[in-house]
């Protein structure tokens, strides 16, 4: 797909971004440095009305404690809405600081108490390490709702890319275990299906920029090993594998028109709607993967955030 299809506001940063193509031929430290080099292009300024605190929460079933960052508006409100936020990075890189600008804006703008999860990465820790760490954060948030000043009935899960995929898996896990309630899932260009680029090759028009087929194949194989793309991938590893999507919380799915995940995201949205789940879908024209993270000031990025913030307000009664 030629670059002239890219929205003009997204072009300048695209020229500066390192490619994730061919990750399988690189060392893991290099993979992670590529990711962090990209992130350094978007450093934001701290917001004075938001405080950030590091915590360590108990892991599940004897797993190590999970590091989280807790974002709170300095002006506290009783029974505040809350959000588990899950960072991207292809399941093999990243940490909560990646989403620091977005989490600060959401805490300030929406009044959320946000718990951003530093889950264990592949390939050092394969499935189910990451999703269990996310569930541990959800458990800690609910168990400490009174101290955090949050309303357990107004807890959303959100994340982008791999974090969007983990958010969808966390919603499935919460539904099935029936221990905690999620009121909303915000899936930002989520990485949902291990068959994309491992077993099913998307049309060549998708995934040319930023997160490519080879990067996706590397990431899923790092997380699932030889099982990636096979017949037995569990739904808590790749949410698109879930056979039953009924009973999930209201959902927002947003993705760029040039994103590798476009087809799997639209199919997941279709299946959610067919299962009776209230679902809003936004496709951003001329947008590649993580467009809003790297060009947050672009008009389409602002409209994108406005859309999902409106969905959160409407559903949570904010």
């Amino acid at each position: 797909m030629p670059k002239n299809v890219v929205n003009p506001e997204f072009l300048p940063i695209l020229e500066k971004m390192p490619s994730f193509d061919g990750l399988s031929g690189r060392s893991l430290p290099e993979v992670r440095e590529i990711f962090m080099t990209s992130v350094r292009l978007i450093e934001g300024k701290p917001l004075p009305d938001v405080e950030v605190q590091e915590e360590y929460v108990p892991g599940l079933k004897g797993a190590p404690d999970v590091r989280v960052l807790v974002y709170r508006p300095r002006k506290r409100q009783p029974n505040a809405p809350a959000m588990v936020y899950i960072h991207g990075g292809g399941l093999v890189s990243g940490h909560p600081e990646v989403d620091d600008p977005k989490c600060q804006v959401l805490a300030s703008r929406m009044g959320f108490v946000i718990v951003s999860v530093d889950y264990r990465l592949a390939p050092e820790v394969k499935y189910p390490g990451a999703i269990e760490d996310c569930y541990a954060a959800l458990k800690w948030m609910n168990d400490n709702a009174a101290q955090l000043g949050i309303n357990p009935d107004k807890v959303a899960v959100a994340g982008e890319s791999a974090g969007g995929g983990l958010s969808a898996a966390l919603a499935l896990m919460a539904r099935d275990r029936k221990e905690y309630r999620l009121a909303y899932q915000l899936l930002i260009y989520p990485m949902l299906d291990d068959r994309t680029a491992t077993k099913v090759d998307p049309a060549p028009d998708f995934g040319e920029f930023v997160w490519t087929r080879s990067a996706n194949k590397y990431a899923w194989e790092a997380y699932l090993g030889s099982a990636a793309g096979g017949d037995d991938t569990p739904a808590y590893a790749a949410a698109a594998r879930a056979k039953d999507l009924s009973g999930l919380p209201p959902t927002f799915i947003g993705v760029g028109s040039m994103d590798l995940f476009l087809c799997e995201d639209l199919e997941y949205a279709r299946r959610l709607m067919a299962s009776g789940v209230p679902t809003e879908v936004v496709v951003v024209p001329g947008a590649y993967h993580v467009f809003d993270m790297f060009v947050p000031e672009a008009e389409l990025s602002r409209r994108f955030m406005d859309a999902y913030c409106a969905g959160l307000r409407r559903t949570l009664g904010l």
Side-chain angles (χ1 to χ4, degrees), residues 4 12 30 42 61 65 75 84 101 132 141 146 159 166 169-170 188-189 201 214 235 243 258 261 266-267 278-279:
N4 62 12
E30 187 179 353
I42 49 141
K61 303 173 186 173
D65 287 352
K75 187 177 180 181
V84 177
E132 290 189 343
M141 176 183 274
L166 287 166
L170 184 61
I188 302 173
Y189 32 82
D201 204 13
S214 65
K243 291 180 170 57
M258 306 173 73
F261 299 145
L266 293 180
E267 174 60 13
T279 304

Side-chain angles (χ1 to χ4, degrees), residues 284-309:
V284 181
Y288 45 77
H289 197 60
V290 300
F291 67 94
D292 62 323
M293 179 183 290
F294 290 105
V295 198
E297 71 283 0
E299 179 190 356
L300 286 177
S301 297
R302 293 197 304 269
R303 284 166 51 186
F304 185 61
M305 178 175 259
D306 287 346
Y308 62 70
C309 284

Side-chain angles (χ1 to χ4, degrees), residues 23 76 93 99 102 153 257 281-282:
L23 289 190
R76 304 289 174 84
S93 63
D99 294 303
K102 187 179 292 183
D153 291 326
S257 66
V281 183
V282 172

Side-chain angles (χ1 to χ4, degrees), residues 117-142:
V117 190
D118 194 2
Y119 56 87
R120 289 169 291 169
L121 300 174
E124 293 93 340
V125 179
K126 296 186 183 296
Y127 171 80
I131 187 60
E132 290 189 343
D133 289 350
C134 296
Y135 195 87
L138 176 65
K139 179 180 188 302
W140 177 81
M141 176 183 274
N142 278 270

Side-chain angles (χ1 to χ4, degrees), residues 246-290:
S246 63
L248 288 169
T251 302
F252 179 101
I253 294 181
V255 64
S257 66
M258 306 173 73
D259 198 309
L260 179 68
F261 299 145
L262 177 67
C263 298
E264 66 187 67
D265 291 354
L266 293 180
E267 174 60 13
Y268 197 70
R270 184 198 66 77
R271 292 183 58 215
L272 284 166
M273 288 183 266
S275 300
V277 177
T279 304
E280 181 178 2
V281 183
V282 172
V283 177
V284 181
Y288 45 77
H289 197 60
V290 300

Side-chain angles (χ1 to χ4, degrees), residues 11 22 36 40 66 94 107 138 173 210 244 252 268 275 290 293 305 315:
L11 268 175
M36 293 316 300
R40 291 184 195 109
V66 182
L138 176 65
M173 188 175 280
V210 188
D244 177 14
F252 179 101
Y268 197 70
S275 300
V290 300
M293 179 183 290
M305 178 175 259
T315 306

